[in-house]
Amino acid sequence: MALFLPSSRLLLRKTTDVKFLTPRRNRVKEKWAATRVKHPPTRLALQHFDATYGTQLGDLWPSVRVALLTEKKYGALLNNFSFDVDVGITDLQAQRCRDFISDIHGGAEPWEIGGKNQTSGADGNDQQLSPPTLSPNIKCYVFPRGDVTRFKPARPDSHGLLGYYLMDAASVLPCLALNVQEGHTVLDLCAAPGGKTLALLQTQLVRFLCVNDASISRTSRLRKVLHSYVPKQFLTDERVRITSFDGTTWGEIEKNTFDRVLVDVPCTTDRHSLMEDDNNIFSKSRTGERRRLPQLQAELLLAGIQAACPGGEIVYSTCSLSLNQNLSVVEQAVYLAQENFGIQLQVVNLRALTKMFSDTFCFAPDLHLGEMVVPHLAANFGPIYFCKLRRLA
């Protein structure tokens, strides 16, 4: 009697999906949640910003929203310590880049938001403010308005120092607002990853710079950045001190010490929160950390105020549009400084500074405290908020 044997090809085809050969009680459920997040942090961030900034910014929010969801523009902070600095300048200029700090009003008209020209403030008295004196050594090159060309990676010179540092060009503004003078001692309280620290060193005016970050891993990254741009002889303990302390306790460590203090606090980093799921503060596991941010920011600013000497100046900054992390924090810190420590502070008007750079950046209108760069498709820098305080003697 002949037996019917199926071909091996047919047998293999039928047994490809072994799941059906496994008893139901022994089957393993596919763990889709481990690979596909149901509510990714970027989506949660966008929902939060729509609800918050939609009310805060009103008609301005749709254009800011589009810009935040688009690739940001960079600036190239020139490294004066590089031995090929002149070659770097020539190369950047050949790409039609301009130094927005020295080339004020480089052929573009100031922005208008909501029908208001940015060269005049809400109080109408800004025309009387004298323009600030800026260090001629800080140079940051940007592509023209509307040009989304990417910078080439910086090349090292014969000593291994890179020619420029790529960063959000608006991040240089808090350093310019700090107005460092010859022989000043400066504290950068939350320094990592190091862009603003490099900008302060480029002034070549700082007698002593203390750079701190509470995170040991971020401090390690900061050290690597500095060693990639600054010669070793400028990084001695007599000139630059790198620490990793809790910044909120700085008032207990060194109070009444520094001529200038930069407090660039941890924040929701709005652009990163919308673009990257990794290390996103809108992750559900970091909800508590995000809600505690304003309290942490106020404690850091208060510590920075205590660290400044009488007559010294403090600049507070974030990369967020949030009123709770910006104006509210400044107001709280100013109140606590007076109430708990008897420290009186004066808010410094920065409108003359923003007027100088209104052709490069888009500034939010009518802020009663501080200044803020808002993203715009044609000039996709920011967001950056900064406010300057002067400690009265």
Side-chain angles (χ1 to χ4, degrees), residues 236-272:
T236 60
D237 292 338
E238 293 76 19
R239 295 189 177 188
V240 179
R241 185 177 72 206
I242 304 175
T243 59
S244 187
F245 297 133
D246 178 3
T248 62
T249 65
W250 208 273
E252 305 168 11
I253 300 173
E254 283 181 313
K255 60 182 178 180
N256 306 326
T257 301
F258 296 93
D259 299 296
R260 297 288 187 267
V261 178
L262 177 62
V263 188
D264 182 44
V265 295
C267 63
T268 49
T269 53
D270 292 357
R271 193 181 287 273
H272 174 84

Side-chain angles (χ1 to χ4, degrees), residues 53 56-70 72-73 111-114 116 118 145 168-171 173 270-271 318-323 326-327 354 357-367 370-386:
Y53 299 157
Q56 175 184 320
L57 298 176
D59 294 339
L60 186 60
W61 172 237
S63 64
V64 174
R65 186 184 194 269
V66 171
L68 279 172
L69 293 169
T70 308
K72 70 176 181 180
K73 289 189 69 171
W111 294 93
E112 289 190 6
I113 303 177
K116 295 184 180 181
Q118 293 188 100
R145 183 189 298 178
D168 189 327
S171 295
L173 295 178
D270 292 357
R271 193 181 287 273
T318 75
C319 49
S320 171
L321 296 167
S322 170
L323 285 175
N326 297 336
L327 285 77
T354 60
F357 304 121
S358 58
D359 62 323
T360 301
F361 303 106
C362 180
F363 290 97
D366 301 336
L367 285 185
E371 301 291 344
M372 183 163 64
V373 175
V374 294
H376 189 283
L377 275 180
N380 206 358
F381 303 107
I384 294 290
Y385 171 83
F386 56 106

Side-chain angles (χ1 to χ4, degrees), residues 24 39 44 51 72 77 106 127 140 157 207-208 213 215 249 253-254 266 305 309 317 334 340-341 349 364 370:
R24 182 180 296 276
H39 299 290
L44 295 176
K72 70 176 181 180
L77 178 68
Q127 300 296 337
C140 186
D157 62 14
R207 175 168 59 87
F208 175 73
D213 199 277
S215 169
T249 65
I253 300 173
E254 283 181 313
I305 291 170
C309 63
S317 66
V334 170
N340 297 342
F341 303 102
N349 193 329

Side-chain angles (χ1 to χ4, degrees), residues 132-197:
T133 303
L134 304 178
S135 169
N137 297 319
I138 300 185
K139 299 181 184 299
C140 186
Y141 285 81
V142 295
F143 284 101
R145 183 189 298 178
D147 189 337
V148 294
T149 305
R150 295 181 180 180
F151 285 97
K152 300 175 183 178
R155 292 176 297 192
D157 62 14
S158 57
H159 293 74
L161 301 177
L162 296 175
Y164 52 78
Y165 180 84
L166 295 182
M167 62 190 298
D168 189 327
S171 295
V172 179
L173 295 178
C175 301
L176 297 176
L178 204 56
N179 192 27
V180 175
Q181 301 296 313
E182 183 75 38
H184 272 170
T185 57
V186 181
L187 168 63
D188 189 352
L189 192 57
C190 310
K196 293 181 179 68
T197 300

Side-chain angles (χ1 to χ4, degrees), residues 88-106:
I89 292 175
T90 302
D91 184 45
L92 290 169
Q93 290 176 341
Q95 300 177 58
R96 296 178 57 246
C97 297
R98 68 180 184 91
D99 172 26
F100 81 85
I101 299 172
S102 62
D103 184 19
I104 301 173
H105 302 308

Side-chain angles (χ1 to χ4, degrees), residues 5 38 91 106 158 194 212 216 255 274 284 301 308 314 387:
L5 296 175
K38 190 173 183 180
D91 184 45
S158 57
N212 178 74
I216 296 177
K255 60 182 178 180
L274 289 175
K284 289 190 175 181
L301 178 53
I314 307 100
C387 181

